[in-house]
Amino acid sequence: MVLVGDGMYMGVLTEAALEPGLIPPGIDKSTLAVGPYVHPSRVVAQANWAVEEARETVRRRGVEVFPVVSGNIYKGVLTSEDVADPSQFTTPHPIS
């Protein structure tokens, strides 16, 4: 899950962050503030990346999903499926 505050990208909450031992025992998870358990994504795409750059990043870094930002403003997510088929694009253009 991508954490956004006031439209600004803050990080990613993963299932690993919710592993036993990281969250204090007995805490009500329905009211848990997730901020302390969020970490920066290891790959963040810029909205002005060309599709080819995104495809190469997916291949090189082995990521399936990563956030897209413009500056630090969250724009959405990009998946490996989004950039897998180069024939769907006729000319190079930005992600956003």
Side-chain angles (χ1 to χ4, degrees), residues 23 31-32 36-37 46 50 57 74:
I23 297 175
T31 61
L32 180 68
Y37 304 98
Q46 294 297 316
T57 300
Y74 176 72

Side-chain angles (χ1 to χ4, degrees), residues 51-68:
V51 173
E52 293 77 13
E53 184 175 359
R55 187 179 312 111
E56 177 60 22
T57 300
V58 165
R59 185 197 63 74
R60 189 177 70 248
R61 300 293 297 272
V63 293
E64 294 292 319
V65 178
F66 47 98
V68 177

Side-chain angles (χ1 to χ4, degrees), residues 36-56:
Y37 304 98
V38 170
H39 63 84
S41 178
R42 58 190 184 113
V43 176
V44 177
Q46 294 297 316
N48 64 350
W49 279 10
V51 173
E52 293 77 13
E53 184 175 359
R55 187 179 312 111
E56 177 60 22

